[in-house]
Amino acid sequence: PEVKLDPRKCKDLKISTEPPKMKPPTHKACEGFDGVVIIQNGDGGGASGTIFFQFMVGMLLWADQHNYKPWVYMNDISKPTYDEVVHSQGSSGSFVMLEGMKIGYARDPDDPLGYLFPGKPQLRNKKRGLAPKEFSFLGTGVWNHYFEPVSDFSPGDKSCIAKPLVEFEYDHIAPGIHSQAPWGVRAWRYWMPDHIQRRDLPVDQWFRPQRERGAEVARRYIRFTPEMEQRAACAHPYPENSLGLHIRHGDKGIERVIIGVEKFLPFCEAFVDHGGGTIFVATDSAKVVKTILSKWPKRITDRIYRAPAVKGLSQDNTAAFELGVSHHTTNTEALTDALALSKCTFLIHGVSALSDAAMFLNPSLIDRSVDLDDEENTSYMKDFVTILHNSGMNRLKTNKKKKKKRVAARES
């Protein structure tokens, strides 16, 4: 649902901790499907962008491949996104489906080493076959606090009673979907088999089919709740002709290179010089915010918007979810940033699952973004100016004396 900005709702935005209401069953959800696959978790260490987008896209792709209706009801395995207080309330309620089917494993014919990833569903025991079982899952399910259900399945759907319920084993997810499935989506080139890592391809060519695949899955399945849409609209009220900056610091430096905040400023200046509008900043670093507001030119900072009263801001290399802030709060804040970034016209970013999430939600950003982590690219600014020109933006006439003063001030 697209939610228009209601300024009255922006004055005192609160994060609800109430369990989301379960939608009543349609009793038609399983018609034409071979069963239901419950999506319960990503890996044990991923944060919001990784769990809610990267892994989610992979598991939804599996559901499509094997004609299984997806149902997201998440547990506590993905610790950074699970809130012991908020997400542990209640349960799914009891319902009956068939037990005895499991997700098998597959190998890629292009992989000489035979790495495994989730494959076809198969019977656990051919002699025993399938049998009715009463299922129940603890907690709120996590997902529906932030998103609409991915499908029309609800526990108790009569059309599903005679269909099997299957679930992913941890190895299906990591390393399976995470590294070894040829159809998975990745946010950067961490370890994976050579035929998936494809070091022979330029970075942008390696990312493009994955981002397009993620965008198609997001279009079909991933929709934020109206409450989350309203939060994003309050954080970024003027998204038309806007530039998004995703400046990821925090624990990024443990595995990847931190991009200095100063590297983002020239893009903001070029954007403004070409008649750009607002600039939305998404970051997990309090130091980044302080630097921008205290050292960047006023003509830039006057255009900047960011989510208000963010609690998950790190002062060092600590991850936002390790600051002692409620994980429900850090989920909400990170997902608000992802959604607000997706509303932007252009995006400057480094490699991050949250940056990719913005592109999944708005695939036009695939062609309107610059990845500052792409070490193979030596013409970032030239590429960005070309993107601006291709979008119909031309450089505005400026007072040459003022321009020289700005350049001298920046160099000093």
Side-chain angles (χ1 to χ4, degrees), residues 77-93:
I77 288 179
S78 298
K79 298 296 184 186
T81 57
Y82 186 82
D83 192 298
E84 291 286 353
V85 175
V86 177
H87 298 150
S88 62
Q89 303 176 63
S91 76
S92 66

Side-chain angles (χ1 to χ4, degrees), residues 367-386:
D367 290 319
R368 292 181 172 180
S369 63
V370 174
D371 178 2
L372 298 184
D373 269 321
D374 182 357
E375 297 176 352
E376 299 168 1
N377 190 343
T378 58
S379 58
Y380 295 129
M381 184 54 65
K382 182 180 178 182
D383 290 349
F384 183 56
V385 171
T386 300

Side-chain angles (χ1 to χ4, degrees), residues 333-358:
E333 291 174 349
L335 292 172
T336 298
D337 276 350
L339 183 53
L341 286 171
S342 78
K343 307 293 184 184
C344 295
T345 317
F346 309 99
L347 177 64
I348 310 297
H349 65 98
V351 290
S352 167
L354 203 74
S355 296
D356 272 24

Side-chain angles (χ1 to χ4, degrees), residues 81 105 125 218 221 378 408:
T81 57
Y105 284 91
N125 187 308
Y221 288 112
T378 58

Side-chain angles (χ1 to χ4, degrees), residues 3-11 230 233-234:
V3 175
K4 292 184 179 180
L5 175 65
D6 184 348
R8 295 169 299 177
K9 295 181 179 180
C10 297
K11 293 180 180 178
Q230 179 65 52
C234 292

Side-chain angles (χ1 to χ4, degrees), residues 261 281 283-294 306 313:
V261 65
V281 176
T283 184
D284 55 357
S285 169
K287 290 182 179 180
V288 165
V289 175
K290 183 178 179 180
T291 299
I292 288 174
L293 297 181
S294 63
R306 63 187 187 90
L313 289 178

